[in-house]
Amino acid sequence: MEARVHSLGDNRGLHTVFLNPRPPNPIKSVGVTPALRLKPFSGRNHQLKLRFRTVSAVLASDSSSRSESSGSYTVDRQRPETVGSEAVSSVKPVYVPTPPNRDLRTPHSGYHFDGSTRKFFEGWYFKVAIPQRRQSFCFMYSVENPAFYKKLGALEIAQHGLRFTGVGAQILGADDKYICQYSDESHNFWGSKDELTLGNTFLAKKAMQPPSNEVPPQEFSRRVVEGFQVTPFWHQGFIRDDGSTDYAQTVKTARWEYSTRPIYGWGDVGAKQKATAGWLAAFPVFEPHWQICMASGLSTGWIEWDGERYEFENAPSYSEKNWGAAFPRRWFWVQCNVFDGANGDVSLTAAGGLRQLPGLSETYENAALVGVHYRGIFYEFVPWNGVVNWEIAPWGYWHLSAENETHVVEIEATTKDEGTTLRAPTTETGLAPACKDTCYGDLKLQLWERTSDGSKGKLILEATSNLAAVEVGGGPWFNTWKGKTAAPEILARALRTPVDVDKIFGAVPFFKPPGL
């Protein structure tokens, strides 16, 4: 099989249109005021160089190597293999088990399923970007109603109501191509209630027991034919498209293995990390819940996709998760941590949704936030510390502005891409087409200090990128959605009150909810 290798060296129901492969366009420049030009944060701004080779197989290297420790993972740089008259570089990430009490762990990293039969889903999102090729890989996993290991029978439906079950693995990869593998059985899914570790086996090797927790990569490969496992520092798997997608350009298989060094969680570097939705997220009230687990990291490894092998070192990466009864009725999302000259050092996440409030009546509210990490500092714009405004088109335009007591932020994202339809857990039809995404968004981010009269003061950051991830979901999307959100004063005061949920439940661990 011919496999093209892209190697990154260490020199530091919506409509879909099939998309043509894109040329390796350069990332747009970052602009800041001269005195505030972007600089590497703590030496982490590794520049990436691209090398392009064609070989006849997936690369293999000899055993002679040099290992270099780097934070929470190790990179094994192996001697280049000679192919013809050229040497081909290969990187091999080295697995490190997830340690207890790791740095930058956010609240809600664990699996939130409480064992009850209430309607429940949990979903995870992991992204790796390769700026020099202007390509991204977005891995999405979901489990639905895990109290039922397989599709419900007539008696169970009569007792519990209509429920959809199963585990899904989706990847939106290079050139916006897509792959999905789904099973309506979840007995081979596992997740830790204490940490961001999870996995699933779609197909085990003959006479082998599927893993039920984190295992070393060699053990995973020995026991699993099709499946995945992921931790804060490690991600590997192999999936095969199940043929259920007739609305997007698909690939037949995908295989990957890479390590990750987190840079930002959700909060200031060196400080206690925050719950994205505040301390009330510890309770099943305002669902679905949302947590950014890693606003930015640097990943090293490889991905095989559509007959090509992408190798990378220190590639910008990101992770987040959702859980609850169902997705919002309608939502939007913008994420980017690829900025020229600042890969991994600047990260933006912005999102909003129309979610149902608890109660018997169908009452909905708008919720939105903007979070920016820059030079180790977290700038948070949420309804309980300020105001968030947005104007979102059905597709192609995202504009948000927000302010808190000390800062003002503005975001504008556009895309000419048609986007790719992705699946999401739904109460009506299970894992079904529900949103549209692309990683080819053009983005402008501006951040100012706020003056005493509320106007924009000193410009802190101005950055642009053409590798932003953008999304709209749910519906209906008949026209542009303009909204504004700010919490009622009594709720805002409650959420601004520093509540150490871990400490509270530490005193009464029996009542501590899973996942926290």
Side-chain angles (χ1 to χ4, degrees), residues 447-470:
L447 179 66
W448 298 267
E449 292 180 350
R450 186 173 184 257
T451 63
S452 58
D453 64 4
S455 61
K456 297 173 182 175
K458 180 182 179 182
L459 180 66
I460 298 174
L461 170 67
E462 182 177 13
T464 60
S465 175
N466 65 355
L467 203 58
V470 291

Side-chain angles (χ1 to χ4, degrees), residues 414-429:
T414 61
T415 187
K416 295 180 179 178
D417 256 62
E418 294 293 334
T420 298
T421 299
L422 304 179
R423 292 172 168 89
T426 67
T427 57
E428 298 82 9
T429 54

